[in-house]
Amino acid sequence: APVPTEPTREPTPLYLRVCGSDYNDAAANFCTNPTCDTGVCETGGCYALPYANCDDLTEEMGMGMVTPEPTPAPTPEPTRELTLAPVPTEPTREPTPLYLRVCGSDYNDAAANFCTNPTCDTGVCETGGCYALPYANCDDLTEEMGMGMVTPEPTPAPTPEPTRELTLAPVPTEP
């Protein structure tokens, strides 16, 4: 005996396309206004509405079959020209570097005087060496902070001391 098959059903569409004088007219009368599957209506516009099956609706439900009271036609108003205010723009800023390259007689000199010593962006200094220090904006520092612009008092010249020979003691080993 042949096996009975269920009839195939069309998939339920997501939208119902309905003609209307405006969206509200199409939404209020989606069961009675003409559909516009091609996207074209003889009058008014074509509106996509959430799908509803009109066969499942009753007049008591009052959905899709009630024509609202017509709204009065708009009155002509003078056209106002729209003037846009300019948008303020902030000046573009260079990205903050990670390091500040400063010349110094040694690292301590460069670190103590990074705001007053010459910079060495090319890596070359006329005297001393070029040292990379963590970036700090010298404009944000004050002399009271004592950073980057204080020259330390010179240290006295080293005195010659005799060289001491370093003697290493043997490391004890376990027997």
Side-chain angles (χ1 to χ4, degrees):
V3 177
T5 59
E6 289 188 34
T8 57
R9 295 184 192 176
E10 291 288 321
T12 303
L14 294 175
Y15 298 101
L16 179 64
R17 298 176 78 178
V18 179
C19 296
S21 59
D22 60 16
Y23 181 85
N24 293 332
D25 175 50
N29 300 293
F30 64 87
C31 288
T32 56
N33 283 8
T35 61
C36 51
D37 297 326
T38 62
V40 178
C41 295
E42 287 184 30
T43 60
C46 182
Y47 300 93
L49 304 170
Y51 180 80
N53 185 343
C54 292
D55 295 337
D56 295 340
L57 302 176
T58 64
E59 201 155 328
E60 289 79 33
M61 292 178 177
M63 295 169 45
M65 303 177 204
V66 179
T67 304
E69 291 296 316
T71 56
T75 59
E77 292 184 18
T79 303
R80 296 182 190 160
E81 193 169 314
L82 181 63
T83 304
L84 299 176
V87 177
T89 58
E90 290 187 27
T92 57
R93 296 180 184 172
E94 292 292 320
T96 302
L98 294 176
Y99 297 100
L100 181 65
R101 297 177 76 172
V102 180
C103 296
S105 59
D106 59 17
Y107 181 86
N108 292 331
D109 176 50
N113 300 292
F114 63 86
C115 289
T116 55
N117 283 9
T119 59
C120 51
D121 297 326
T122 62
V124 178
C125 294
E126 287 185 28
T127 59
C130 181
Y131 300 93
L133 305 172
Y135 180 80
N137 185 344
C138 293
D139 294 336
D140 295 339
L141 303 176
T142 64
E143 205 158 322
E144 289 79 34
M145 292 177 179
M147 294 171 36
M149 53 187 88
V150 178
T151 304
E153 292 297 317
T155 57
T159 58
E161 294 182 15
T163 305
R164 296 183 189 163
E165 192 171 311
L166 184 61
T167 306
L168 300 175
V171 177
T173 58
E174 305 229 357

Coordinates of all heavy atoms in Angstrom, one line a residue, residues 57-151:
L57 N -7.7 36.1 11.2 CA -8.2 37.3 12.0 C -9.7 37.4 11.8 O -10.3 37.0 10.8 CB -7.6 38.5 11.4 CG -6.0 38.6 11.5 CD1 -5.5 39.8 10.9 CD2 -5.6 38.5 13.0
T58 N -10.4 37.9 12.8 CA -11.8 38.1 12.7 C -12.0 39.6 12.8 O -11.2 40.4 13.3 CB -12.5 37.4 13.8 OG1 -12.1 38.0 15.1 CG2 -12.3 35.9 13.8
E59 N -13.2 40.1 12.4 CA -13.5 41.5 12.5 C -13.6 42.0 13.9 O -13.3 43.1 14.2 CB -14.9 41.7 11.7 CG -15.0 43.2 11.3 CD -15.9 43.4 10.2 OE1 -16.1 42.5 9.3 OE2 -16.5 44.4 10.1
E60 N -13.9 41.0 14.8 CA -14.0 41.4 16.2 C -12.6 41.8 16.8 O -12.5 42.6 17.7 CB -14.6 40.3 17.1 CG -16.1 40.1 16.9 CD -16.4 39.3 15.6 OE1 -15.6 38.4 15.2 OE2 -17.4 39.6 15.0
M61 N -11.6 41.1 16.2 CA -10.2 41.5 16.6 C -9.8 42.9 16.2 O -9.0 43.5 16.9 CB -9.2 40.5 16.0 CG -9.3 39.1 16.6 SD -8.1 38.1 15.7 CE -8.4 36.5 16.5
G62 N -10.5 43.4 15.2 CA -10.2 44.7 14.7 C -8.8 45.0 14.2 O -8.4 46.1 14.2
M63 N -8.2 44.0 13.7 CA -6.8 44.2 13.2 C -6.8 44.0 11.7 O -7.4 43.0 11.2 CB -5.9 43.1 13.9 CG -5.7 43.3 15.3 SD -4.8 42.0 16.1 CE -3.5 41.6 15.1
G64 N -6.2 44.9 11.1 CA -6.0 44.8 9.6 C -7.3 45.1 8.8 O -7.2 44.9 7.6
M65 N -8.4 45.5 9.4 CA -9.6 45.7 8.6 C -10.3 47.0 8.9 O -11.3 47.2 8.4 CB -10.6 44.6 8.9 CG -10.0 43.2 8.6 SD -11.3 42.0 9.1 CE -10.2 40.6 9.3
V66 N -9.7 47.8 9.8 CA -10.4 49.0 10.2 C -9.7 50.2 9.6 O -8.5 50.4 9.6 CB -10.3 49.2 11.8 CG1 -10.9 50.4 12.2 CG2 -10.9 48.0 12.5
T67 N -10.5 51.0 8.9 CA -10.0 52.2 8.3 C -10.0 53.3 9.3 O -11.1 53.6 9.8 CB -10.8 52.6 7.0 OG1 -10.9 51.4 6.2 CG2 -10.2 53.8 6.3
P68 N -8.9 53.9 9.6 CA -8.9 55.0 10.6 C -9.5 56.3 10.0 O -9.7 56.4 8.8 CB -7.4 55.2 10.9 CG -6.7 54.8 9.6 CD -7.6 53.7 9.1
E69 N -9.9 57.2 10.9 CA -10.5 58.4 10.4 C -9.4 59.1 9.6 O -8.2 59.1 10.0 CB -10.9 59.3 11.6 CG -12.1 58.8 12.3 CD -13.3 58.8 11.5 OE1 -13.6 59.8 10.8 OE2 -14.0 57.8 11.5
P70 N -9.7 59.7 8.5 CA -8.7 60.4 7.7 C -8.1 61.6 8.4 O -8.8 62.3 9.2 CB -9.4 60.9 6.4 CG -10.9 60.8 6.7 CD -11.1 59.8 7.9
T71 N -6.9 61.8 8.3 CA -6.2 62.9 8.9 C -6.3 64.1 8.0 O -6.3 64.0 6.8 CB -4.7 62.6 9.2 OG1 -4.1 62.3 8.0 CG2 -4.6 61.5 10.2
P72 N -6.4 65.3 8.6 CA -6.5 66.5 7.7 C -5.2 66.7 6.9 O -4.1 66.3 7.3 CB -6.7 67.7 8.6 CG -6.3 67.2 10.0 CD -6.4 65.7 10.0
A73 N -5.3 67.2 5.7 CA -4.1 67.5 4.9 C -3.2 68.4 5.5 O -3.7 69.4 6.2 CB -4.6 68.0 3.5
P74 N -1.9 68.3 5.4 CA -1.0 69.2 6.0 C -1.1 70.6 5.4 O -1.4 70.7 4.2 CB 0.4 68.6 5.7 CG 0.2 67.7 4.6 CD -1.2 67.2 4.6
T75 N -0.9 71.6 6.2 CA -0.9 73.0 5.7 C 0.5 73.4 5.3 O 1.5 73.0 5.9 CB -1.4 73.9 6.8 OG1 -0.5 73.8 7.9 CG2 -2.8 73.6 7.3
P76 N 0.5 74.1 4.2 CA 1.9 74.5 3.7 C 2.5 75.5 4.7 O 1.9 76.4 5.2 CB 1.6 75.2 2.4 CG 0.2 75.5 2.4 CD -0.5 74.6 3.3
E77 N 3.8 75.2 5.0 CA 4.6 76.1 5.9 C 5.8 76.6 5.1 O 6.2 75.9 4.1 CB 5.1 75.3 7.1 CG 4.0 74.9 8.0 CD 4.6 74.2 9.2 OE1 5.8 74.3 9.5 OE2 3.8 73.5 9.9
P78 N 6.3 77.8 5.4 CA 7.4 78.3 4.7 C 8.6 77.3 4.9 O 8.8 76.7 5.9 CB 7.7 79.6 5.3 CG 6.9 79.6 6.6 CD 5.8 78.6 6.5
T79 N 9.4 77.2 3.8 CA 10.6 76.3 3.9 C 11.6 77.0 4.7 O 11.9 78.2 4.5 CB 11.1 76.0 2.5 OG1 10.0 75.4 1.8 CG2 12.3 75.1 2.5
R80 N 12.2 76.3 5.7 CA 13.3 76.9 6.5 C 14.5 76.2 6.0 O 14.6 75.0 5.9 CB 13.0 76.6 7.9 CG 11.8 77.2 8.5 CD 11.6 77.0 9.9 NE 10.3 77.4 10.3 CZ 9.7 77.0 11.4 NH1 10.3 76.1 12.2 NH2 8.5 77.4 11.7
E81 N 15.5 77.1 5.8 CA 16.8 76.6 5.4 C 17.6 76.1 6.6 O 17.7 76.9 7.6 CB 17.6 77.7 4.6 CG 18.8 77.1 3.9 CD 19.3 78.1 2.9 OE1 18.6 78.8 2.2 OE2 20.6 78.3 2.9
L82 N 18.2 75.0 6.5 CA 19.0 74.4 7.6 C 20.4 74.9 7.5 O 21.0 74.7 6.4 CB 18.9 72.9 7.6 CG 19.6 72.2 8.7 CD1 19.1 72.5 10.0 CD2 19.6 70.7 8.4
T83 N 20.9 75.5 8.5 CA 22.3 76.0 8.6 C 23.0 75.1 9.6 O 22.6 75.1 10.8 CB 22.4 77.5 8.9 OG1 21.6 78.2 8.0 CG2 23.8 77.9 8.9
L84 N 24.1 74.5 9.2 CA 24.8 73.7 10.1 C 26.0 74.5 10.7 O 26.7 75.2 10.0 CB 25.4 72.4 9.4 CG 24.4 71.5 8.8 CD1 25.1 70.4 8.0 CD2 23.5 70.9 9.9
A85 N 26.1 74.4 12.0 CA 27.3 75.0 12.7 C 28.5 74.3 12.4 O 28.5 73.0 12.3 CB 27.0 75.1 14.2
P86 N 29.7 74.9 12.3 CA 30.9 74.2 12.0 C 31.2 73.3 13.2 O 31.0 73.7 14.4 CB 31.9 75.3 11.8 CG 31.4 76.5 12.4 CD 29.9 76.4 12.3
V87 N 31.8 72.2 12.9 CA 32.2 71.2 14.0 C 33.6 71.6 14.4 O 34.5 71.7 13.6 CB 32.1 69.8 13.5 CG1 32.6 68.8 14.6 CG2 30.8 69.4 13.0
P88 N 33.7 71.9 15.8 CA 35.1 72.3 16.2 C 36.0 71.1 16.1 O 35.6 70.0 16.4 CB 34.9 72.7 17.7 CG 33.6 72.1 18.1 CD 32.8 71.9 16.8
T89 N 37.2 71.4 15.6 CA 38.2 70.3 15.5 C 39.4 70.6 16.5 O 39.8 71.7 16.6 CB 38.7 70.1 14.1 OG1 39.3 71.4 13.7 CG2 37.6 69.7 13.1
E90 N 39.9 69.5 17.1 CA 41.0 69.7 17.9 C 42.3 69.5 17.1 O 42.2 68.8 16.1 CB 41.0 68.6 19.0 CG 40.0 68.8 20.1 CD 40.1 67.9 21.2 OE1 41.2 67.4 21.5 OE2 39.1 67.6 21.8
P91 N 43.3 70.3 17.4 CA 44.5 70.1 16.6 C 45.0 68.6 16.8 O 44.9 68.1 17.8 CB 45.5 71.1 17.2 CG 44.9 71.5 18.5 CD 43.5 71.2 18.5
T92 N 45.6 68.1 15.7 CA 46.1 66.8 15.8 C 47.4 66.8 16.6 O 48.2 67.7 16.5 CB 46.4 66.2 14.4 OG1 47.3 67.0 13.7 CG2 45.1 66.0 13.6
R93 N 47.6 65.8 17.4 CA 48.8 65.8 18.3 C 49.7 64.6 17.9 O 49.2 63.6 17.4 CB 48.4 65.5 19.7 CG 47.6 66.6 20.3 CD 47.2 66.3 21.7 NE 46.3 67.4 22.3 CZ 45.7 67.3 23.4 NH1 45.9 66.3 24.2 NH2 45.0 68.3 23.8
E94 N 50.9 64.8 18.0 CA 51.9 63.8 17.7 C 51.8 62.7 18.9 O 51.5 63.1 20.0 CB 53.3 64.3 17.7 CG 53.6 65.2 16.5 CD 53.6 64.5 15.2 OE1 54.1 63.3 15.2 OE2 53.1 65.0 14.2
P95 N 51.9 61.5 18.6 CA 51.9 60.5 19.6 C 53.0 60.7 20.6 O 54.1 61.1 20.3 CB 52.0 59.1 18.9 CG 52.6 59.4 17.6 CD 52.2 60.9 17.3
T96 N 52.8 60.4 21.9 CA 53.8 60.6 22.9 C 54.9 59.5 22.8 O 54.6 58.3 22.7 CB 53.1 60.5 24.3 OG1 52.1 61.4 24.4 CG2 54.2 60.7 25.4
P97 N 56.1 60.0 22.7 CA 57.2 59.0 22.5 C 57.4 58.2 23.8 O 57.0 58.6 24.9 CB 58.4 59.8 22.2 CG 58.1 61.2 22.7 CD 56.6 61.3 22.6
L98 N 58.0 57.0 23.7 CA 58.3 56.2 24.9 C 59.6 56.7 25.6 O 59.7 56.6 26.8 CB 58.4 54.8 24.5 CG 57.2 54.1 24.0 CD1 57.5 52.6 23.5 CD2 56.1 54.1 25.1
Y99 N 60.5 57.2 24.8 CA 61.8 57.6 25.3 C 62.2 59.0 24.9 O 61.7 59.5 23.9 CB 62.9 56.6 24.8 CG 62.6 55.2 25.3 CD1 62.1 54.3 24.4 CD2 63.0 54.8 26.6 CE1 61.9 52.9 24.8 CE2 62.7 53.5 27.0 CZ 62.2 52.6 26.1 OH 61.9 51.3 26.6
L100 N 63.0 59.6 25.8 CA 63.6 60.9 25.5 C 65.1 60.6 25.4 O 65.7 60.0 26.3 CB 63.3 61.8 26.7 CG 63.8 63.2 26.6 CD1 63.2 64.0 25.5 CD2 63.5 63.9 28.0
R101 N 65.8 61.0 24.3 CA 67.2 60.7 24.1 C 67.9 62.0 24.5 O 67.8 63.0 23.9 CB 67.4 60.3 22.7 CG 66.7 59.0 22.4 CD 66.8 58.5 21.0 NE 68.2 58.0 20.9 CZ 68.6 57.4 19.8 NH1 67.8 57.2 18.8 NH2 69.8 56.9 19.7
V102 N 68.8 61.9 25.5 CA 69.5 63.0 26.1 C 71.0 62.8 26.1 O 71.5 61.7 26.5 CB 69.0 63.3 27.5 CG1 69.7 64.5 28.1 CG2 67.5 63.5 27.5
C103 N 71.8 63.9 25.8 CA 73.2 63.8 25.9 C 73.6 64.0 27.4 O 72.9 64.7 28.1 CB 73.9 64.9 25.1 SG 73.6 64.8 23.3
G104 N 74.7 63.4 27.8 CA 75.2 63.6 29.2 C 76.6 63.1 29.3 O 77.0 62.2 28.5
S105 N 77.3 63.6 30.3 CA 78.7 63.1 30.5 C 78.6 61.6 31.0 O 79.5 60.8 30.7 CB 79.4 63.9 31.6 OG 78.7 63.9 32.8
D106 N 77.5 61.2 31.6 CA 77.2 59.8 31.9 C 75.7 59.7 32.1 O 75.0 60.7 32.0 CB 78.0 59.4 33.2 CG 77.7 60.2 34.4 OD1 76.6 60.9 34.4 OD2 78.5 60.1 35.4
Y107 N 75.2 58.5 32.4 CA 73.8 58.3 32.5 C 73.2 59.2 33.6 O 72.1 59.8 33.5 CB 73.5 56.8 32.8 CG 72.0 56.6 33.0 CD1 71.2 56.3 31.8 CD2 71.3 56.6 34.2 CE1 69.9 56.1 31.9 CE2 70.0 56.4 34.3 CZ 69.2 56.1 33.2 OH 67.9 55.9 33.3
N108 N 73.9 59.3 34.8 CA 73.4 60.1 35.9 C 73.2 61.6 35.5 O 72.3 62.3 35.8 CB 74.3 60.0 37.1 CG 74.2 58.6 37.7 OD1 73.1 57.9 37.5 ND2 75.2 58.1 38.3
D109 N 74.2 62.1 34.7 CA 74.1 63.5 34.2 C 72.9 63.7 33.3 O 72.2 64.6 33.4 CB 75.4 63.9 33.5 CG 75.3 65.3 32.9 OD1 74.9 66.2 33.6 OD2 75.7 65.4 31.7
A110 N 72.7 62.7 32.4 CA 71.6 62.8 31.4 C 70.3 62.7 32.2 O 69.3 63.5 31.9 CB 71.7 61.7 30.4
A111 N 70.2 61.8 33.2 CA 68.9 61.7 34.0 C 68.6 62.9 34.8 O 67.5 63.3 35.0 CB 69.0 60.4 34.8
A112 N 69.7 63.5 35.4 CA 69.5 64.6 36.3 C 69.2 65.9 35.5 O 68.6 66.9 36.1 CB 70.7 64.8 37.2
N113 N 69.6 66.0 34.2 CA 69.4 67.2 33.5 C 68.7 67.0 32.1 O 69.1 67.7 31.2 CB 70.8 67.8 33.3 CG 71.5 68.1 34.6 OD1 71.1 69.0 35.3 ND2 72.5 67.4 34.9
F114 N 67.8 66.1 32.1 CA 67.2 65.8 30.8 C 66.5 67.0 30.1 O 66.3 67.0 28.9 CB 66.3 64.5 30.8 CG 65.1 64.6 31.7 CD1 63.9 65.2 31.3 CD2 65.2 64.2 33.0 CE1 62.8 65.2 32.1 CE2 64.1 64.2 33.8 CZ 62.9 64.7 33.4
C115 N 66.1 68.0 30.9 CA 65.4 69.1 30.4 C 66.3 70.2 29.9 O 66.0 71.1 29.1 CB 64.4 69.7 31.4 SG 62.9 68.7 31.6
T116 N 67.5 70.2 30.4 CA 68.5 71.3 30.1 C 69.6 70.8 29.2 O 70.2 71.6 28.5 CB 69.1 71.9 31.4 OG1 69.6 70.9 32.2 CG2 68.0 72.7 32.1
N117 N 70.0 69.5 29.2 CA 71.0 69.0 28.4 C 70.5 68.9 26.9 O 69.3 68.7 26.7 CB 71.5 67.6 28.8 CG 72.4 67.7 30.1 OD1 72.6 68.7 30.6 ND2 73.0 66.5 30.4
P118 N 71.4 68.9 25.9 CA 70.9 68.8 24.6 C 70.3 67.4 24.3 O 70.7 66.4 24.9 CB 72.2 69.0 23.7 CG 73.3 69.3 24.7 CD 72.8 69.1 26.0
T119 N 69.4 67.3 23.4 CA 68.8 66.0 23.0 C 69.7 65.4 21.9 O 70.5 66.1 21.3 CB 67.4 66.1 22.5 OG1 67.3 67.0 21.4 CG2 66.4 66.7 23.6
C120 N 69.6 64.1 21.8 CA 70.4 63.4 20.7 C 69.5 62.5 19.9 O 69.6 61.3 20.0 CB 71.5 62.7 21.4 SG 71.1 61.6 22.7
D121 N 68.5 63.1 19.2 CA 67.6 62.3 18.4 C 68.2 61.5 17.4 O 67.7 60.4 17.0 CB 66.5 63.3 17.8 CG 65.7 64.0 18.8 OD1 65.4 63.4 19.9 OD2 65.3 65.1 18.6
T122 N 69.4 61.9 16.9 CA 70.2 61.2 15.9 C 71.1 60.1 16.5 O 71.7 59.3 15.8 CB 71.0 62.1 15.0 OG1 72.0 62.8 15.9 CG2 70.2 63.2 14.3
G123 N 71.2 60.2 17.9 CA 72.0 59.2 18.6 C 73.5 59.7 18.7 O 74.3 59.0 19.2
V124 N 73.7 61.0 18.3 CA 75.1 61.5 18.4 C 75.1 62.7 19.3 O 74.3 63.6 19.1 CB 75.6 61.8 17.0 CG1 77.0 62.5 17.0 CG2 75.6 60.6 16.1
C125 N 76.1 62.8 20.1 CA 76.3 64.0 21.0 C 77.7 64.6 20.7 O 78.6 63.8 20.4 CB 76.2 63.6 22.5 SG 74.6 63.0 23.0
E126 N 77.8 65.9 20.8 CA 79.1 66.5 20.6 C 80.1 66.1 21.7 O 81.3 65.9 21.5 CB 79.0 68.1 20.6 CG 78.3 68.6 19.4 CD 78.3 70.1 19.3 OE1 79.2 70.8 19.9 OE2 77.4 70.6 18.7
T127 N 79.6 66.0 23.0 CA 80.4 65.5 24.1 C 79.6 64.5 24.9 O 78.4 64.7 25.0 CB 80.9 66.6 25.0 OG1 79.8 67.3 25.5 CG2 81.8 67.6 24.2
G128 N 80.2 63.6 25.5 CA 79.5 62.6 26.3 C 78.8 61.6 25.5 O 79.1 61.4 24.3
G129 N 77.8 60.9 26.1 CA 77.1 59.9 25.4 C 75.6 60.2 25.3 O 75.1 61.2 25.8
C130 N 74.9 59.4 24.5 CA 73.5 59.6 24.3 C 72.8 58.5 25.1 O 73.1 57.3 24.9 CB 73.2 59.5 22.8 SG 71.4 59.7 22.4
Y131 N 71.8 59.0 25.9 CA 71.1 58.0 26.8 C 69.6 58.1 26.6 O 69.1 59.2 26.5 CB 71.5 58.4 28.3 CG 73.0 58.3 28.6 CD1 73.8 59.4 28.5 CD2 73.5 57.1 28.9 CE1 75.1 59.3 28.7 CE2 74.9 57.0 29.1 CZ 75.7 58.1 29.0 OH 77.0 58.0 29.2
A132 N 69.0 56.9 26.6 CA 67.5 56.9 26.4 C 66.9 56.8 27.8 O 67.3 56.0 28.6 CB 67.1 55.6 25.6
L133 N 66.0 57.8 28.1 CA 65.4 57.9 29.4 C 63.9 57.8 29.2 O 63.4 58.1 28.1 CB 65.7 59.3 30.0 CG 67.2 59.6 30.2 CD1 67.3 61.1 30.6 CD2 67.8 58.7 31.2
P134 N 63.1 57.3 30.2 CA 61.7 57.3 30.0 C 61.2 58.7 29.7 O 61.7 59.7 30.3 CB 61.2 56.9 31.4 CG 62.3 56.2 32.0 CD 63.6 56.8 31.5
Y135 N 60.2 58.8 28.8 CA 59.8 60.2 28.3 C 59.1 60.9 29.5 O 58.3 60.4 30.3 CB 58.8 60.0 27.2 CG 58.3 61.4 26.7 CD1 59.1 62.1 25.9 CD2 57.1 61.9 27.1 CE1 58.7 63.4 25.4 CE2 56.7 63.1 26.7 CZ 57.4 63.9 25.9 OH 57.0 65.1 25.4
A136 N 59.4 62.2 29.5 CA 58.7 63.2 30.4 C 58.7 64.5 29.6 O 59.6 64.8 28.9 CB 59.5 63.4 31.7
N137 N 57.5 65.2 29.8 CA 57.4 66.4 29.1 C 57.9 67.5 30.0 O 57.4 67.8 31.1 CB 55.9 66.7 28.8 CG 55.6 67.9 28.0 OD1 56.5 68.8 27.9 ND2 54.5 68.1 27.5
C138 N 59.0 68.2 29.5 CA 59.7 69.2 30.4 C 58.8 70.4 30.6 O 58.9 71.1 31.6 CB 61.0 69.6 29.7 SG 62.2 68.3 29.6
D139 N 57.8 70.6 29.8 CA 56.9 71.8 30.0 C 56.0 71.5 31.2 O 55.5 72.5 31.8 CB 56.0 72.0 28.8 CG 56.8 72.4 27.6 OD1 57.9 73.0 27.7 OD2 56.3 72.2 26.4
D140 N 55.8 70.2 31.6 CA 55.0 69.9 32.8 C 55.7 69.9 34.1 O 55.1 69.8 35.1 CB 54.3 68.5 32.6 CG 53.4 68.5 31.4 OD1 52.9 69.6 31.0 OD2 53.1 67.4 30.9
L141 N 57.0 70.1 34.0 CA 57.9 70.1 35.2 C 58.2 71.5 35.7 O 58.3 72.4 34.9 CB 59.2 69.3 34.9 CG 59.0 67.9 34.4 CD1 60.4 67.3 34.1 CD2 58.3 67.0 35.4
T142 N 58.4 71.6 37.0 CA 58.8 72.9 37.6 C 60.2 72.7 38.3 O 60.5 71.5 38.6 CB 57.8 73.4 38.6 OG1 57.7 72.5 39.7 CG2 56.4 73.5 38.0
E143 N 60.8 73.7 38.5 CA 62.1 73.7 39.1 C 62.0 73.1 40.6 O 62.9 72.5 41.1 CB 62.8 75.0 39.1 CG 64.3 74.9 39.2 CD 65.1 76.1 38.7 OE1 64.6 76.7 37.7 OE2 66.1 76.4 39.2
E144 N 60.8 73.4 41.2 CA 60.6 72.9 42.6 C 60.6 71.4 42.6 O 60.9 70.8 43.6 CB 59.3 73.5 43.1 CG 59.4 75.0 43.5 CD 59.2 75.8 42.2 OE1 58.5 75.4 41.3 OE2 59.8 76.9 42.2
M145 N 60.2 70.8 41.5 CA 60.1 69.3 41.4 C 61.5 68.7 41.5 O 61.6 67.6 41.9 CB 59.3 68.8 40.2 CG 57.9 69.2 40.2 SD 57.2 68.6 38.6 CE 55.5 69.0 38.8
G146 N 62.5 69.5 41.0 CA 63.8 69.0 41.1 C 64.1 67.9 40.1 O 65.0 67.1 40.3
M147 N 63.3 67.8 39.0 CA 63.6 66.7 38.1 C 64.0 67.3 36.7 O 63.3 68.2 36.2 CB 62.3 65.9 37.9 CG 61.8 65.2 39.1 SD 60.2 64.4 39.0 CE 60.0 63.9 37.4
G148 N 65.0 66.7 36.2 CA 65.3 67.0 34.8 C 66.0 68.3 34.6 O 66.4 68.6 33.4
M149 N 66.2 69.2 35.6 CA 66.8 70.4 35.3 C 67.8 70.9 36.4 O 68.2 72.0 36.5 CB 65.8 71.5 35.0 CG 64.7 71.6 36.0 SD 63.4 72.8 35.5 CE 62.3 71.7 34.6
V150 N 68.1 70.0 37.4 CA 68.9 70.3 38.5 C 70.3 69.7 38.2 O 70.4 68.5 38.0 CB 68.3 69.7 39.8 CG1 69.3 70.0 40.9 CG2 67.0 70.3 40.0
T151 N 71.3 70.5 38.2 CA 72.6 70.0 38.0 C 73.2 69.7 39.4 O 73.2 70.6 40.2 CB 73.5 71.1 37.3 OG1 72.9 71.4 36.1 CG2 74.9 70.6 37.1

